[in-house]
Amino acid sequence: MKAAVFPSKIANLGLPSGHRCALFFRSPPALPSSFFTTPCRKLTRGRRGSEGFMSQSSSSSQLFSSLSNSFSSQTESELPQVQLPSPKPKSPPPQLPWLIVGLGNPGKKYQGTRHNVGFEMVDALAEAEGISMNTVNFKALFGKGVIGNIPIMLAKPQTFMNASGESVGQIVSFYKIPLKQVLVIYDDLDLPFGKLRLLPKGGHGGHNGMRSIIDRLKGSRDFPRLRIGIGRPPGKMDTANYVLRQFNKQEQEELDYTFQTGLEAIRIMLLEGFNKSATFVNTQKSMQQLS
């Protein structure tokens, strides 16, 4: 290709001073003379303009941010404080009561006899805790109360000893009481007189009242029991006659001490747990050993 030939008038055109710009075209159109004399902006000035614009934008952003923060805080302070209702704490499930049963035979004929120490222990508990035992229900003299914050039910079956399970079985079934919360108190020939023994479970040991209860509880032996020692009959005395004998004065005094220990043991069991109560009961010494 041949090099383009520029007209001499354009080729010899000089640039005016002051960094003036000129544009060259292969076939230049007819442009006004003022076009060639328009000064171009210097690059440094352009940078300063850019920086100025950015600086101005930054200042505007800061101002907007300040106003936003001020508006937000002002709005928050001016808004009414809405108190959302706090969720109601869940109430604990109702606590099932303990059933405390004392075994014995009903009627004045058997009052104060060895076979009725279970009845006497429950009477002592009812008196100490202010629980009335005048209601007849579930074939038993029946009462309700609390020890601390623990609900309890007291029962003295009126079915005679050998059928005690009829009453206990009905109460347990009606109130759906867990067997671990059924305490049975009864006399025990194999323990020294006035001695207490608290156990979490066990057999009937030949005691007809306990045998009846185990039968009514479908053979389960997993319920606690508080045994009160009445000792063995002296000499060749018949066991049936011995358990129906009343206590002499000295025996009654020692038995009163035993009942006080039993009351404390029951309170510990309900409020602090079975194990602590068993430790307290099973390490106690009788009144004779203390004197």
Side-chain angles (χ1 to χ4, degrees):
M1 294 179 60
K2 293 182 179 181
V5 179
F6 294 93
S8 59
K9 183 177 180 180
I10 297 176
N12 296 326
L13 183 62
L15 293 175
S17 60
H19 300 283
R20 299 178 185 275
C21 297
L23 297 178
F24 298 93
F25 299 91
R26 180 175 297 179
S27 300
L31 297 173
S33 58
S34 62
F35 177 82
F36 295 99
T37 58
T38 303
C40 294
R41 293 182 181 176
K42 293 183 180 180
L43 185 57
T44 54
R45 183 178 177 183
R47 286 196 188 104
R48 283 198 301 270
S50 246
E51 291 170 356
F53 176 75
M54 293 179 68
S55 175
Q56 184 178 3
S57 299
S58 176
S59 299
S60 300
S61 298
Q62 292 175 0
L63 179 60
F64 178 76
S65 175
S66 175
L67 289 173
S68 289
N69 293 337
S70 175
F71 178 78
S72 297
S73 61
Q74 183 180 4
T75 305
E76 184 179 353
S77 63
E78 291 177 354
L79 284 176
Q81 298 297 323
V82 179
Q83 295 291 337
L84 295 177
S86 57
K88 294 182 179 180
K90 294 182 179 179
S91 57
Q95 188 168 8
L96 294 175
W98 274 77
L99 173 61
I100 300 176
V101 181
L103 300 187
N105 288 309
K108 291 183 178 180
K109 177 181 177 180
Y110 301 101
Q111 287 181 357
T113 63
R114 286 165 167 76
H115 217 25
N116 273 34
V117 291
F119 274 10
E120 292 194 40
M121 180 76 243
V122 168
D123 287 337
L125 180 60
E127 183 179 357
E129 300 297 335
I131 300 174
S132 173
M133 295 288 295
N134 295 327
T135 303
V136 178
N137 207 353
F138 304 103
K139 298 182 180 180
L141 286 175
F142 194 73
K144 293 182 180 181
V146 292
I147 293 181
N149 61 342
I150 307 297
I152 64 170
M153 293 185 295
L154 304 181
K156 298 193 300 180
Q158 301 295 292
T159 56
F160 286 93
M161 183 70 78
N162 294 358
S164 299
E166 294 180 17
S167 172
V168 175
Q170 288 182 23
I171 300 172
V172 170
S173 176
F174 183 82
Y175 289 101
K176 302 185 186 322
I177 303 175
L179 293 187
K180 65 180 181 179
Q181 291 181 205
V182 178
L183 175 68
V184 181
I185 306 171
Y186 62 100
D187 57 296
D188 193 331
L189 286 165
D190 294 328
L191 282 177
F193 185 85
K195 178 74 174 177
L196 293 175
R197 182 63 56 86
L198 180 63
L199 298 173
K201 58 184 179 179
H204 53 73
H207 193 284
N208 289 332
M210 289 296 288
R211 180 184 283 111
S212 173
I213 292 174
I214 291 172
D215 289 344
R216 286 288 177 158
L217 296 180
K218 301 178 181 179
S220 176
R221 303 178 178 187
D222 298 335
F223 55 91
R225 65 281 314 276
L226 179 62
R227 296 156 52 194
I228 302 176
I230 59 173
R232 282 285 175 181
K236 297 182 178 180
M237 181 182 290
D238 180 69
T239 300
N241 292 332
Y242 175 72
V243 298
L244 296 180
R245 282 181 61 183
Q246 294 186 337
F247 303 109
N248 59 40
K249 184 178 180 180
Q250 182 181 351
E251 289 174 333
Q252 189 63 58
E253 288 178 356
E254 185 172 353
L255 198 59
D256 290 340
Y257 172 83
T258 299
F259 289 158
Q260 291 303 314
T261 303
L263 290 177
E264 186 63 23
I266 291 172
R267 293 188 183 108
I268 294 173
M269 182 184 66
L270 297 180
L271 302 176
E272 301 182 55
F274 180 89
N275 291 338
K276 190 168 183 178
S277 179
T279 300
F280 169 76
V281 171
N282 299 335
T283 57
Q284 283 285 322
K285 294 181 180 180
S286 68
M287 189 175 178
Q288 288 179 348
Q289 291 173 308
L290 293 174
S291 59

